[in-house]
Amino acid sequence: MIEFDKEAFYEAAHHALPIDTEGFLSYVSSFENLILWGAGYLGQAVAEKLQDLDVEINTFWDLRATKLGEVNGLATEEPFSKEYDRENTLVIFCIASSFIRGSLMQDLKNQGYANMLMGQYVYEGLICPLDKYDSNVCKKSNACDSYTCLKNDNLFAKSLDIKPEFTEHEPMIFRNLTIVINQKCTLKCKFCYSYTNHYVDDKRLNFSLERILHDIDVFFDAVDGVKLIPLIGGEVFMHPDLNKIVKHILTKENFGLLNVTTNGICKMTEEDLDGFQNDRLQMVFSNYTDSVSEKQKELYYKNIEFAKSLGIQVIVPNNTPQWAMPTTLYDQEDDLDALKHKFKVCRGPFDCKYLKNGHFYPCSIVDPVHSLGIADYSHDYVALDTASSNLDLRRKIYDVEHRDHYKTCGHCSGPGGLTGVVSKAGEQGYQDFITKPELPKTETKISFMAKPERLLESN
Ligand SMILES: C[S@@+](CC[C@H](N)C(=O)[O-])C[C@H]1O[C@@H](n2cnc3c(N)ncnc32)[C@H](O)[C@@H]1O
Ligand code: SF4
Ligand code: SF4
């Protein structure tokens, strides 16, 4: 193996600076074995580029190996199903999903594979053509995950007009702001991390158009920018004013990309989709085809074709076999030290933020604990109507983002609100996340290990 400054390569890739392609190629070619982990869109794009550069690749690793067969003319194997000499093997990790990549990277380390490159950073450096922000290019590339792409972060931040009147803190740019418009759905996913099955009776509702538009206005006036807005529910197509909400979001200049996320198993009309043909919008059709009925699948594919026929940019993810099971929500009666510990290992660069029904929630678990009426910890979120001005709202958001714990952490059994346990995407059914089981306290807890995303900083 020859010397190669990975960090310098990554930095250049993240900032669209000139890349040391020669050094990269010498390093990659100095291993006896080269494995690409992940035969999805990212893995395929990286493989194609390496093949163009005459780099020899041994195989893809992918959980779906049996189903996939050959990809890009390369064999696929289940990860770790064959032995490779650890010293002489380089793994390029080509899984972008922030949900699962952390734990898979941990598996790689545990199995003794220390030579690893991040496929996404290789993509940023060697394949991505951008040197200034252009959401249109990003959204058209299946291989990219704009959320986790660090080049996208940097180019987006550079493109913003930072508000001079807000100079007391660093610029307030969010990687993600999930806007939630309802708490009802056409499906019943057992492990939905929005806990949609738990919203019943008067909590199973669409939020009012007026409330939603007001929240959007005050939030975007208070912050400098948001890179990615997932618009979700529940199921957004059950909201009668979806179209007006989408059009309103598109009037804001300080966001990058709007992902209208749907299960695709719902009624979609031309009127619903009017105005969706926009450079900054893409529809994400979550893929639950392994979990739903034939009739539902038919409707899903019909809706995809319908949206495409109207000229809308559509993303259909792989039918990922894995979902991360969300945390239970009951109070685990932690003391202050335990709350602080959980918070410390949890908070990281890919935390999701929520704008929902008059509130800014700084993490995905503060929302359901509050919205389901399990507890009301008013210090854990910002009620937008309590702010007296844009600047006041900005300060309140800053404060809630800079706490050293949330009381909600005492309800949470895994970093990011996700347990390490995986489940099938979109599996239908019901699981009670709220009732505390009658077990001794120690047996109910899943150990709160450091959030896998932290690995990114050391790789
Ligand atoms: C909560 S859903 C709401 C939007 C829409 N109903 C849907 O299913 O696409 C938002 C996104 O979260 C994803 N999701 C929900 N539960 C998940 C889990 N337990 N693990 C990983 N992703 C999950 C869905 O696949 C979807 O892309
Ligand atoms: S993940 Fe499933 S239950 Fe949850 S909102 Fe989406 S389709 Fe509905
Ligand atoms: S509630 Fe859970 S997800 Fe939220 S900050 Fe605390 S530990 Fe993290």
PDB file of all heavy atoms in Angstrom, residues 415-449:
ATOM      1  N   PRO A 415     -29.554   6.685  19.580  1.00  0.00           N
ATOM      2  CA  PRO A 415     -29.173   7.950  18.958  1.00  0.00           C
ATOM      3  C   PRO A 415     -29.973   8.226  17.690  1.00  0.00           C
ATOM      4  O   PRO A 415     -30.212   7.317  16.898  1.00  0.00           O
ATOM      5  CB  PRO A 415     -27.693   7.758  18.628  1.00  0.00           C
ATOM      6  CG  PRO A 415     -27.237   6.662  19.521  1.00  0.00           C
ATOM      7  CD  PRO A 415     -28.410   5.779  19.762  1.00  0.00           C
ATOM      8  N   GLY A 416     -30.393   9.463  17.550  1.00  0.00           N
ATOM      9  CA  GLY A 416     -31.202   9.820  16.386  1.00  0.00           C
ATOM     10  C   GLY A 416     -32.612   9.268  16.496  1.00  0.00           C
ATOM     11  O   GLY A 416     -33.401   9.337  15.551  1.00  0.00           O
ATOM     12  N   GLY A 417     -32.945   8.717  17.659  1.00  0.00           N
ATOM     13  CA  GLY A 417     -34.283   8.152  17.831  1.00  0.00           C
ATOM     14  C   GLY A 417     -34.430   6.806  17.146  1.00  0.00           C
ATOM     15  O   GLY A 417     -35.539   6.301  16.963  1.00  0.00           O
ATOM     16  N   LEU A 418     -33.281   6.239  16.744  1.00  0.00           N
ATOM     17  CA  LEU A 418     -33.346   4.953  16.047  1.00  0.00           C
ATOM     18  C   LEU A 418     -32.623   3.905  16.874  1.00  0.00           C
ATOM     19  O   LEU A 418     -31.541   4.157  17.398  1.00  0.00           O
ATOM     20  CB  LEU A 418     -32.693   5.070  14.668  1.00  0.00           C
ATOM     21  CG  LEU A 418     -33.340   6.090  13.733  1.00  0.00           C
ATOM     22  CD1 LEU A 418     -32.465   6.319  12.506  1.00  0.00           C
ATOM     23  CD2 LEU A 418     -34.733   5.646  13.291  1.00  0.00           C
ATOM     24  N   THR A 419     -33.195   2.749  17.012  1.00  0.00           N
ATOM     25  CA  THR A 419     -32.511   1.657  17.692  1.00  0.00           C
ATOM     26  C   THR A 419     -31.588   1.032  16.644  1.00  0.00           C
ATOM     27  O   THR A 419     -31.723   1.285  15.465  1.00  0.00           O
ATOM     28  CB  THR A 419     -33.524   0.598  18.164  1.00  0.00           C
ATOM     29  OG1 THR A 419     -34.177   0.095  17.010  1.00  0.00           O
ATOM     30  CG2 THR A 419     -34.537   1.201  19.109  1.00  0.00           C
ATOM     31  N   GLY A 420     -30.653   0.196  17.072  1.00  0.00           N
ATOM     32  CA  GLY A 420     -29.775  -0.422  16.081  1.00  0.00           C
ATOM     33  C   GLY A 420     -30.482  -1.513  15.292  1.00  0.00           C
ATOM     34  O   GLY A 420     -29.947  -2.032  14.323  1.00  0.00           O
ATOM     35  N   VAL A 421     -31.712  -1.829  15.680  1.00  0.00           N
ATOM     36  CA  VAL A 421     -32.410  -2.962  15.077  1.00  0.00           C
ATOM     37  C   VAL A 421     -32.946  -2.581  13.707  1.00  0.00           C
ATOM     38  O   VAL A 421     -33.499  -1.495  13.531  1.00  0.00           O
ATOM     39  CB  VAL A 421     -33.600  -3.380  15.988  1.00  0.00           C
ATOM     40  CG1 VAL A 421     -34.239  -4.659  15.500  1.00  0.00           C
ATOM     41  CG2 VAL A 421     -33.143  -3.507  17.425  1.00  0.00           C
ATOM     42  N   VAL A 422     -32.778  -3.478  12.734  1.00  0.00           N
ATOM     43  CA  VAL A 422     -33.307  -3.155  11.403  1.00  0.00           C
ATOM     44  C   VAL A 422     -34.599  -3.923  11.140  1.00  0.00           C
ATOM     45  O   VAL A 422     -34.851  -4.964  11.729  1.00  0.00           O
ATOM     46  CB  VAL A 422     -32.291  -3.435  10.266  1.00  0.00           C
ATOM     47  CG1 VAL A 422     -31.147  -2.470  10.313  1.00  0.00           C
ATOM     48  CG2 VAL A 422     -31.799  -4.867  10.324  1.00  0.00           C
ATOM     49  N   SER A 423     -35.404  -3.361  10.259  1.00  0.00           N
ATOM     50  CA  SER A 423     -36.672  -4.008   9.925  1.00  0.00           C
ATOM     51  C   SER A 423     -36.897  -3.848   8.423  1.00  0.00           C
ATOM     52  O   SER A 423     -36.148  -3.147   7.753  1.00  0.00           O
ATOM     53  CB  SER A 423     -37.804  -3.349  10.700  1.00  0.00           C
ATOM     54  OG  SER A 423     -37.917  -2.012  10.282  1.00  0.00           O
ATOM     55  N   LYS A 424     -37.961  -4.482   7.945  1.00  0.00           N
ATOM     56  CA  LYS A 424     -38.262  -4.409   6.511  1.00  0.00           C
ATOM     57  C   LYS A 424     -38.922  -3.054   6.207  1.00  0.00           C
ATOM     58  O   LYS A 424     -39.820  -2.636   6.947  1.00  0.00           O
ATOM     59  CB  LYS A 424     -39.232  -5.553   6.202  1.00  0.00           C
ATOM     60  CG  LYS A 424     -39.334  -5.911   4.759  1.00  0.00           C
ATOM     61  CD  LYS A 424     -40.081  -7.233   4.648  1.00  0.00           C
ATOM     62  CE  LYS A 424     -40.882  -7.286   3.387  1.00  0.00           C
ATOM     63  NZ  LYS A 424     -41.843  -8.361   3.364  1.00  0.00           N
ATOM     64  N   ALA A 425     -38.520  -2.400   5.126  1.00  0.00           N
ATOM     65  CA  ALA A 425     -39.095  -1.096   4.794  1.00  0.00           C
ATOM     66  C   ALA A 425     -40.593  -1.217   4.518  1.00  0.00           C
ATOM     67  O   ALA A 425     -41.009  -2.053   3.727  1.00  0.00           O
ATOM     68  CB  ALA A 425     -38.392  -0.507   3.581  1.00  0.00           C
ATOM     69  N   GLY A 426     -41.374  -0.398   5.186  1.00  0.00           N
ATOM     70  CA  GLY A 426     -42.801  -0.321   4.914  1.00  0.00           C
ATOM     71  C   GLY A 426     -43.613  -1.521   5.375  1.00  0.00           C
ATOM     72  O   GLY A 426     -44.786  -1.664   4.993  1.00  0.00           O
ATOM     73  N   GLU A 427     -43.025  -2.371   6.210  1.00  0.00           N
ATOM     74  CA  GLU A 427     -43.804  -3.530   6.704  1.00  0.00           C
ATOM     75  C   GLU A 427     -45.074  -3.022   7.384  1.00  0.00           C
ATOM     76  O   GLU A 427     -45.032  -2.089   8.189  1.00  0.00           O
ATOM     77  CB  GLU A 427     -42.942  -4.313   7.708  1.00  0.00           C
ATOM     78  CG  GLU A 427     -43.609  -5.570   8.207  1.00  0.00           C
ATOM     79  CD  GLU A 427     -42.710  -6.300   9.233  1.00  0.00           C
ATOM     80  OE1 GLU A 427     -41.472  -6.150   9.169  1.00  0.00           O
ATOM     81  OE2 GLU A 427     -43.278  -7.001  10.075  1.00  0.00           O
ATOM     82  N   GLN A 428     -46.199  -3.623   7.034  1.00  0.00           N
ATOM     83  CA  GLN A 428     -47.480  -3.145   7.558  1.00  0.00           C
ATOM     84  C   GLN A 428     -47.814  -3.839   8.886  1.00  0.00           C
ATOM     85  O   GLN A 428     -47.445  -4.993   9.116  1.00  0.00           O
ATOM     86  CB  GLN A 428     -48.595  -3.383   6.536  1.00  0.00           C
ATOM     87  CG  GLN A 428     -48.373  -2.655   5.216  1.00  0.00           C
ATOM     88  CD  GLN A 428     -48.423  -1.138   5.368  1.00  0.00           C
ATOM     89  OE1 GLN A 428     -49.488  -0.560   5.525  1.00  0.00           O
ATOM     90  NE2 GLN A 428     -47.259  -0.482   5.339  1.00  0.00           N
ATOM     91  N   GLY A 429     -48.518  -3.099   9.742  1.00  0.00           N
ATOM     92  CA  GLY A 429     -48.895  -3.681  11.035  1.00  0.00           C
ATOM     93  C   GLY A 429     -48.917  -2.618  12.107  1.00  0.00           C
ATOM     94  O   GLY A 429     -48.877  -1.416  11.810  1.00  0.00           O
ATOM     95  N   TYR A 430     -48.976  -3.052  13.332  1.00  0.00           N
ATOM     96  CA  TYR A 430     -49.033  -2.092  14.438  1.00  0.00           C
ATOM     97  C   TYR A 430     -48.080  -2.509  15.534  1.00  0.00           C
ATOM     98  O   TYR A 430     -48.009  -3.676  15.900  1.00  0.00           O
ATOM     99  CB  TYR A 430     -50.454  -2.015  15.019  1.00  0.00           C
ATOM    100  CG  TYR A 430     -50.566  -0.994  16.120  1.00  0.00           C
ATOM    101  CD1 TYR A 430     -50.787   0.350  15.835  1.00  0.00           C
ATOM    102  CD2 TYR A 430     -50.421  -1.370  17.458  1.00  0.00           C
ATOM    103  CE1 TYR A 430     -50.850   1.307  16.845  1.00  0.00           C
ATOM    104  CE2 TYR A 430     -50.489  -0.415  18.471  1.00  0.00           C
ATOM    105  CZ  TYR A 430     -50.700   0.912  18.158  1.00  0.00           C
ATOM    106  OH  TYR A 430     -50.756   1.859  19.156  1.00  0.00           O
ATOM    107  N   GLN A 431     -47.350  -1.566  16.040  1.00  0.00           N
ATOM    108  CA  GLN A 431     -46.460  -1.820  17.169  1.00  0.00           C
ATOM    109  C   GLN A 431     -46.687  -0.690  18.162  1.00  0.00           C
ATOM    110  O   GLN A 431     -46.734   0.475  17.768  1.00  0.00           O
ATOM    111  CB  GLN A 431     -45.009  -1.789  16.666  1.00  0.00           C
ATOM    112  CG  GLN A 431     -43.974  -1.732  17.747  1.00  0.00           C
ATOM    113  CD  GLN A 431     -43.240  -3.066  17.883  1.00  0.00           C
ATOM    114  OE1 GLN A 431     -43.718  -4.088  17.372  1.00  0.00           O
ATOM    115  NE2 GLN A 431     -42.120  -3.058  18.547  1.00  0.00           N
ATOM    116  N   ASP A 432     -46.835  -1.047  19.428  1.00  0.00           N
ATOM    117  CA  ASP A 432     -47.058  -0.030  20.448  1.00  0.00           C
ATOM    118  C   ASP A 432     -45.710   0.526  20.913  1.00  0.00           C
ATOM    119  O   ASP A 432     -44.898  -0.193  21.487  1.00  0.00           O
ATOM    120  CB  ASP A 432     -47.820  -0.660  21.623  1.00  0.00           C
ATOM    121  CG  ASP A 432     -48.145   0.364  22.697  1.00  0.00           C
ATOM    122  OD1 ASP A 432     -47.690   1.521  22.576  1.00  0.00           O
ATOM    123  OD2 ASP A 432     -48.855  -0.009  23.650  1.00  0.00           O
ATOM    124  N   PHE A 433     -45.480   1.817  20.641  1.00  0.00           N
ATOM    125  CA  PHE A 433     -44.213   2.443  21.042  1.00  0.00           C
ATOM    126  C   PHE A 433     -44.360   3.263  22.326  1.00  0.00           C
ATOM    127  O   PHE A 433     -43.400   3.857  22.799  1.00  0.00           O
ATOM    128  CB  PHE A 433     -43.705   3.374  19.933  1.00  0.00           C
ATOM    129  CG  PHE A 433     -43.136   2.639  18.743  1.00  0.00           C
ATOM    130  CD1 PHE A 433     -43.921   2.402  17.617  1.00  0.00           C
ATOM    131  CD2 PHE A 433     -41.831   2.181  18.754  1.00  0.00           C
ATOM    132  CE1 PHE A 433     -43.402   1.724  16.528  1.00  0.00           C
ATOM    133  CE2 PHE A 433     -41.304   1.502  17.668  1.00  0.00           C
ATOM    134  CZ  PHE A 433     -42.090   1.270  16.545  1.00  0.00           C
ATOM    135  N   ILE A 434     -45.595   3.331  22.837  1.00  0.00           N
ATOM    136  CA  ILE A 434     -45.840   4.281  23.932  1.00  0.00           C
ATOM    137  C   ILE A 434     -45.962   3.605  25.294  1.00  0.00           C
ATOM    138  O   ILE A 434     -45.465   4.110  26.297  1.00  0.00           O
ATOM    139  CB  ILE A 434     -47.127   5.102  23.634  1.00  0.00           C
ATOM    140  CG1 ILE A 434     -46.949   5.873  22.321  1.00  0.00           C
ATOM    141  CG2 ILE A 434     -47.423   6.054  24.781  1.00  0.00           C
ATOM    142  CD1 ILE A 434     -48.127   6.712  21.910  1.00  0.00           C
ATOM    143  N   THR A 435     -46.626   2.426  25.337  1.00  0.00           N
ATOM    144  CA  THR A 435     -46.856   1.780  26.629  1.00  0.00           C
ATOM    145  C   THR A 435     -45.564   1.186  27.160  1.00  0.00           C
ATOM    146  O   THR A 435     -44.862   0.453  26.448  1.00  0.00           O
ATOM    147  CB  THR A 435     -47.908   0.651  26.480  1.00  0.00           C
ATOM    148  OG1 THR A 435     -48.986   1.161  25.714  1.00  0.00           O
ATOM    149  CG2 THR A 435     -48.394   0.176  27.841  1.00  0.00           C
ATOM    150  N   LYS A 436     -45.288   1.491  28.399  1.00  0.00           N
ATOM    151  CA  LYS A 436     -44.049   0.985  28.996  1.00  0.00           C
ATOM    152  C   LYS A 436     -44.234  -0.478  29.377  1.00  0.00           C
ATOM    153  O   LYS A 436     -45.182  -0.824  30.095  1.00  0.00           O
ATOM    154  CB  LYS A 436     -43.752   1.811  30.243  1.00  0.00           C
ATOM    155  CG  LYS A 436     -42.422   1.541  30.845  1.00  0.00           C
ATOM    156  CD  LYS A 436     -42.136   2.588  31.906  1.00  0.00           C
ATOM    157  CE  LYS A 436     -40.758   2.349  32.464  1.00  0.00           C
ATOM    158  NZ  LYS A 436     -40.307   3.434  33.299  1.00  0.00           N
ATOM    159  N   PRO A 437     -43.353  -1.368  28.920  1.00  0.00           N
ATOM    160  CA  PRO A 437     -43.534  -2.775  29.285  1.00  0.00           C
ATOM    161  C   PRO A 437     -43.236  -3.008  30.759  1.00  0.00           C
ATOM    162  O   PRO A 437     -42.463  -2.275  31.362  1.00  0.00           O
ATOM    163  CB  PRO A 437     -42.519  -3.514  28.414  1.00  0.00           C
ATOM    164  CG  PRO A 437     -41.606  -2.507  27.892  1.00  0.00           C
ATOM    165  CD  PRO A 437     -42.199  -1.150  28.052  1.00  0.00           C
ATOM    166  N   GLU A 438     -43.877  -4.026  31.309  1.00  0.00           N
ATOM    167  CA  GLU A 438     -43.685  -4.346  32.729  1.00  0.00           C
ATOM    168  C   GLU A 438     -42.432  -5.180  32.901  1.00  0.00           C
ATOM    169  O   GLU A 438     -42.500  -6.378  33.156  1.00  0.00           O
ATOM    170  CB  GLU A 438     -44.890  -5.137  33.252  1.00  0.00           C
ATOM    171  CG  GLU A 438     -46.211  -4.474  33.018  1.00  0.00           C
ATOM    172  CD  GLU A 438     -46.723  -3.807  34.282  1.00  0.00           C
ATOM    173  OE1 GLU A 438     -46.340  -4.268  35.364  1.00  0.00           O
ATOM    174  OE2 GLU A 438     -47.487  -2.836  34.148  1.00  0.00           O
ATOM    175  N   LEU A 439     -41.281  -4.576  32.698  1.00  0.00           N
ATOM    176  CA  LEU A 439     -40.015  -5.299  32.844  1.00  0.00           C
ATOM    177  C   LEU A 439     -39.115  -4.494  33.770  1.00  0.00           C
ATOM    178  O   LEU A 439     -39.255  -3.272  33.856  1.00  0.00           O
ATOM    179  CB  LEU A 439     -39.308  -5.419  31.478  1.00  0.00           C
ATOM    180  CG  LEU A 439     -39.863  -6.399  30.478  1.00  0.00           C
ATOM    181  CD1 LEU A 439     -39.142  -6.224  29.151  1.00  0.00           C
ATOM    182  CD2 LEU A 439     -39.694  -7.837  30.952  1.00  0.00           C
ATOM    183  N   PRO A 440     -38.191  -5.147  34.436  1.00  0.00           N
ATOM    184  CA  PRO A 440     -37.262  -4.355  35.241  1.00  0.00           C
ATOM    185  C   PRO A 440     -36.572  -3.338  34.333  1.00  0.00           C
ATOM    186  O   PRO A 440     -36.269  -3.641  33.166  1.00  0.00           O
ATOM    187  CB  PRO A 440     -36.250  -5.387  35.753  1.00  0.00           C
ATOM    188  CG  PRO A 440     -36.895  -6.702  35.553  1.00  0.00           C
ATOM    189  CD  PRO A 440     -37.906  -6.580  34.484  1.00  0.00           C
ATOM    190  N   LYS A 441     -36.335  -2.144  34.865  1.00  0.00           N
ATOM    191  CA  LYS A 441     -35.828  -1.025  34.069  1.00  0.00           C
ATOM    192  C   LYS A 441     -34.617  -1.401  33.193  1.00  0.00           C
ATOM    193  O   LYS A 441     -34.583  -1.092  32.009  1.00  0.00           O
ATOM    194  CB  LYS A 441     -35.441   0.109  35.010  1.00  0.00           C
ATOM    195  CG  LYS A 441     -35.359   1.455  34.348  1.00  0.00           C
ATOM    196  CD  LYS A 441     -35.087   2.531  35.363  1.00  0.00           C
ATOM    197  CE  LYS A 441     -34.660   3.802  34.655  1.00  0.00           C
ATOM    198  NZ  LYS A 441     -33.967   4.707  35.510  1.00  0.00           N
ATOM    199  N   THR A 442     -33.643  -2.105  33.766  1.00  0.00           N
ATOM    200  CA  THR A 442     -32.422  -2.398  33.015  1.00  0.00           C
ATOM    201  C   THR A 442     -32.709  -3.254  31.784  1.00  0.00           C
ATOM    202  O   THR A 442     -32.058  -3.118  30.770  1.00  0.00           O
ATOM    203  CB  THR A 442     -31.409  -3.155  33.897  1.00  0.00           C
ATOM    204  OG1 THR A 442     -32.101  -4.209  34.540  1.00  0.00           O
ATOM    205  CG2 THR A 442     -30.758  -2.230  34.897  1.00  0.00           C
ATOM    206  N   GLU A 443     -33.710  -4.124  31.898  1.00  0.00           N
ATOM    207  CA  GLU A 443     -33.968  -5.017  30.761  1.00  0.00           C
ATOM    208  C   GLU A 443     -34.668  -4.312  29.607  1.00  0.00           C
ATOM    209  O   GLU A 443     -34.681  -4.793  28.503  1.00  0.00           O
ATOM    210  CB  GLU A 443     -34.835  -6.204  31.212  1.00  0.00           C
ATOM    211  CG  GLU A 443     -34.044  -7.187  32.058  1.00  0.00           C
ATOM    212  CD  GLU A 443     -34.902  -8.357  32.441  1.00  0.00           C
ATOM    213  OE1 GLU A 443     -35.684  -8.817  31.596  1.00  0.00           O
ATOM    214  OE2 GLU A 443     -34.787  -8.795  33.599  1.00  0.00           O
ATOM    215  N   THR A 444     -35.301  -3.179  29.882  1.00  0.00           N
ATOM    216  CA  THR A 444     -36.040  -2.504  28.813  1.00  0.00           C
ATOM    217  C   THR A 444     -35.113  -1.644  27.961  1.00  0.00           C
ATOM    218  O   THR A 444     -35.483  -1.208  26.908  1.00  0.00           O
ATOM    219  CB  THR A 444     -37.138  -1.583  29.379  1.00  0.00           C
ATOM    220  OG1 THR A 444     -36.501  -0.535  30.098  1.00  0.00           O
ATOM    221  CG2 THR A 444     -38.087  -2.349  30.244  1.00  0.00           C
ATOM    222  N   LYS A 445     -33.897  -1.397  28.436  1.00  0.00           N
ATOM    223  CA  LYS A 445     -33.058  -0.434  27.724  1.00  0.00           C
ATOM    224  C   LYS A 445     -32.166  -1.061  26.659  1.00  0.00           C
ATOM    225  O   LYS A 445     -31.611  -2.123  26.865  1.00  0.00           O
ATOM    226  CB  LYS A 445     -32.168   0.295  28.722  1.00  0.00           C
ATOM    227  CG  LYS A 445     -32.965   1.280  29.531  1.00  0.00           C
ATOM    228  CD  LYS A 445     -32.028   2.285  30.174  1.00  0.00           C
ATOM    229  CE  LYS A 445     -32.852   3.298  30.923  1.00  0.00           C
ATOM    230  NZ  LYS A 445     -32.017   4.281  31.568  1.00  0.00           N
ATOM    231  N   ILE A 446     -32.033  -0.356  25.582  1.00  0.00           N
ATOM    232  CA  ILE A 446     -31.065  -0.755  24.564  1.00  0.00           C
ATOM    233  C   ILE A 446     -29.878   0.180  24.772  1.00  0.00           C
ATOM    234  O   ILE A 446     -30.069   1.369  25.004  1.00  0.00           O
ATOM    235  CB  ILE A 446     -31.681  -0.571  23.161  1.00  0.00           C
ATOM    236  CG1 ILE A 446     -32.842  -1.537  23.000  1.00  0.00           C
ATOM    237  CG2 ILE A 446     -30.638  -0.759  22.078  1.00  0.00           C
ATOM    238  CD1 ILE A 446     -33.682  -1.307  21.789  1.00  0.00           C
ATOM    239  N   SER A 447     -28.659  -0.344  24.745  1.00  0.00           N
ATOM    240  CA  SER A 447     -27.535   0.514  25.126  1.00  0.00           C
ATOM    241  C   SER A 447     -27.399   1.674  24.150  1.00  0.00           C
ATOM    242  O   SER A 447     -27.604   1.524  22.940  1.00  0.00           O
ATOM    243  CB  SER A 447     -26.251  -0.293  25.197  1.00  0.00           C
ATOM    244  OG  SER A 447     -25.884  -0.651  23.900  1.00  0.00           O
ATOM    245  N   PHE A 448     -27.065   2.808  24.666  1.00  0.00           N
ATOM    246  CA  PHE A 448     -27.050   4.041  23.892  1.00  0.00           C
ATOM    247  C   PHE A 448     -25.639   4.291  23.387  1.00  0.00           C
ATOM    248  O   PHE A 448     -24.850   5.001  23.971  1.00  0.00           O
ATOM    249  CB  PHE A 448     -27.505   5.177  24.807  1.00  0.00           C
ATOM    250  CG  PHE A 448     -28.273   6.221  24.086  1.00  0.00           C
ATOM    251  CD1 PHE A 448     -29.655   6.140  23.984  1.00  0.00           C
ATOM    252  CD2 PHE A 448     -27.621   7.288  23.502  1.00  0.00           C
ATOM    253  CE1 PHE A 448     -30.365   7.115  23.318  1.00  0.00           C
ATOM    254  CE2 PHE A 448     -28.330   8.261  22.827  1.00  0.00           C
ATOM    255  CZ  PHE A 448     -29.710   8.175  22.742  1.00  0.00           C
ATOM    256  N   MET A 449     -25.327   3.646  22.254  1.00  0.00           N
ATOM    257  CA  MET A 449     -23.969   3.750  21.720  1.00  0.00           C
ATOM    258  C   MET A 449     -23.840   5.039  20.913  1.00  0.00           C
ATOM    259  O   MET A 449     -24.826   5.581  20.460  1.00  0.00           O
ATOM    260  CB  MET A 449     -23.718   2.581  20.768  1.00  0.00           C
ATOM    261  CG  MET A 449     -24.104   1.269  21.372  1.00  0.00           C
ATOM    262  SD  MET A 449     -22.786   0.137  21.402  1.00  0.00           S
ATOM    263  CE  MET A 449     -22.466  -0.097  19.682  1.00  0.00           C
TER     264      MET A 449
END
